[in-house]
Amino acid sequence: VRVPAANLVGEEGKGFAYMMHHLPKERLSIAVGSAAAARRALALAANYANGRAAFGGVVGGLQAVQMSLAKLRAEVQVCTAFVDRCIAEVSRGELSAEAASMAKYSATELSFRVADSCAQIFGGYGYLKNSPIGKILVDQRVVRIYGGANEVQLEIIAKGLGFKPQRLASSKL
């Protein structure tokens, strides 16, 4: 496609470099949204469990439910603290690609796991796409893909550990 010089944004041939420069911020914004979704899912599940009658009491009265939500809460708090640290780094112009990848990977994996565990507490209602927890569950599945699939984030993190990615020779089919 030919683009007139007057319509170019930036320098010709530099589009990929421009995009790569902004990827850490994009990944951090995905992490922020995922951490918030995890907190929201946890709040929805705790509220539901404390009000849902079952077994002569409420679902939240069951120790298994309490322990499950307590573990998730601890993990969400730790993840949120790391994401907050990355926000401070980006505001100082110090956010590394590796830290952004760690934030994106950990927050998106956690948010999906939290949404999945919390949907279980809701029973069948948790799997309806129009339920609040069902919507979070569906939304948190895709965040592990965009902004660079989480497998790509792991490669970036591995480079920070000194590993060099191996590329397999392409096979001819």
Side-chain angles (χ1 to χ4, degrees):
V1 174
R2 181 140 175 83
V3 177
N7 294 348
L8 286 178
V9 177
E11 293 180 51
E12 185 175 352
K14 301 277 185 171
F16 186 74
Y18 294 146
M19 182 195 71
M20 291 300 290
H21 175 74
H22 292 287
L23 267 177
K25 290 178 187 171
E26 177 186 1
R27 290 174 175 155
L28 179 56
S29 72
I30 292 167
V32 168
S34 290
R39 287 191 306 272
R40 176 73 177 136
L42 194 55
L44 287 169
N47 187 52
Y48 182 82
N50 283 320
R52 175 75 165 109
F55 311 110
V58 294
V59 171
L62 300 172
Q63 187 177 26
V65 172
Q66 293 171 10
M67 297 302 116
S68 174
L69 293 178
K71 288 176 189 177
L72 293 173
R73 183 174 187 200
E75 292 180 68
V76 169
Q77 287 298 106
V78 170
C79 180
T80 299
F82 180 68
V83 170
D84 287 349
R85 187 187 100 185
C86 289
I87 291 169
E89 288 177 5
V90 80
S91 69
R92 293 189 307 265
E94 299 172 358
L95 180 67
S96 69
E98 183 182 14
S101 290
M102 285 190 267
K104 194 260 184 192
Y105 173 80
S106 60
T108 59
E109 291 292 327
L110 178 62
S111 67
F112 181 72
R113 197 163 36 82
V114 168
D116 184 54
S117 294
C118 290
Q120 188 72 26
I121 291 168
F122 279 79
Y125 178 61
Y127 294 95
L128 298 178
K129 289 180 185 175
N130 63 347
S131 73
I133 194 70
K135 180 173 179 0
I136 292 171
L137 181 61
V138 169
D139 290 347
Q140 293 313 295
R141 175 60 187 99
V142 74
V143 295
R144 299 187 305 173
I145 299 169
Y146 61 70
N150 278 358
E151 292 77 10
V152 172
Q153 307 316 306
L154 291 174
E155 282 206 10
I156 293 166
I157 297 164
K159 284 181 191 176
L161 292 168
F163 293 104
K164 306 256 187 279
Q166 289 183 334
R167 301 291 177 224
L168 301 176
S170 63
S171 61
K172 295 179 182 178
L173 298 177

